[in-house]
Amino acid sequence: MKIFDVLFLLVIAGLGIISLFGGCTQKIGRTAGPLATAPIGVEREIWERINQHRRTMQMPALEYSMAMAEQAQTHSEQMGSGAVPFGHQGFDERAEAIAETVQFNGISENVAWCSDTKAIADTAVKLWLASPSHRKNIEGDFTFTGIGAALNQRGVWYFTQIFAKQR
């Protein structure tokens, strides 16, 4: 990770601004839908690291949802391209789209960005765990997740992880 990125994120976290991006939570009841078995690539690495952390906290692993992952991927790509600003813009719409195929009572989302090209998954998870509101989602009473990661033309990675509690 470039030193500027680390300093920027530490300053933001220190000011409490980054916590604004982790608190996007919604409670809704919806219809049932399919879950996938596992993601691939950096999304898989993030999923494994999140579940590893949850195991150290004596928590069950999160199942993977392709419906959630598709929404997370689209959001990451849109942030990376500049089509939407970094943050949770459109969260309600993502939740509604997920609700068409996934039955849930509560839903939440984490987003992150970094320009580290080596330890991408580790960096994203460490940033989330360092932020109280992002950590709350990771350690929350959720049962499944979907992750999207996108690398833009400037070499910056954008991540979205959606969490939901199955009914």
Side-chain angles (χ1 to χ4, degrees):
M1 177 178 271
K2 295 178 185 174
I3 191 72
F4 174 77
D5 293 343
V6 172
L7 291 174
F8 176 76
L9 290 172
L10 287 175
V11 168
I12 287 176
L15 294 173
I17 295 170
I18 201 166
S19 66
L20 295 174
F21 295 120
C24 202
T25 304
Q26 188 178 66
K27 290 193 178 276
I28 309 175
R30 298 296 178 200
T31 58
L35 298 177
T37 56
I40 59 172
V42 70
E43 293 90 343
R44 182 181 185 94
E45 292 178 40
I46 291 171
W47 181 55
E48 289 172 347
R49 282 164 178 76
I50 294 292
N51 279 334
Q52 179 181 16
H53 175 77
R54 287 175 62 91
R55 281 191 296 277
T56 67
M57 303 294 296
Q58 310 288 316
M59 300 179 75
L62 297 169
E63 293 184 54
Y64 204 76
S65 163
M66 283 307 294
M68 293 169 64
E70 289 170 8
Q71 291 298 314
Q73 184 64 37
T74 299
H75 185 57
S76 293
E77 290 171 2
Q78 289 176 338
M79 288 188 300
S81 71
V84 298
F86 174 75
H88 298 289
Q89 182 176 346
F91 176 69
D92 290 339
E93 290 80 8
R94 285 187 291 287
E96 289 296 322
I98 291 166
E100 292 179 14
T101 58
V102 176
Q103 181 179 354
F104 62 84
N105 286 328
I107 188 165
S108 193
E109 173 179 86
N110 283 352
V111 297
W113 65 268
C114 74
S115 58
D116 184 353
T117 58
K118 295 180 183 167
I120 303 159
D122 283 333
T123 300
V125 173
K126 285 177 184 176
L127 289 171
W128 284 332
L129 289 173
S131 165
S133 59
H134 291 91
R135 185 181 196 107
K136 183 179 176 183
N137 287 339
I138 290 169
E139 296 174 357
D141 185 24
F142 297 112
T143 52
F144 51 110
T145 191
I147 302 164
L151 177 65
N152 72 11
Q153 293 179 349
R154 296 179 313 278
V156 178
W157 283 93
Y158 288 83
F159 307 97
T160 305
Q161 182 171 18
I162 301 173
F163 303 85
K165 180 176 174 85
Q166 189 172 20
R167 276 205 232 183

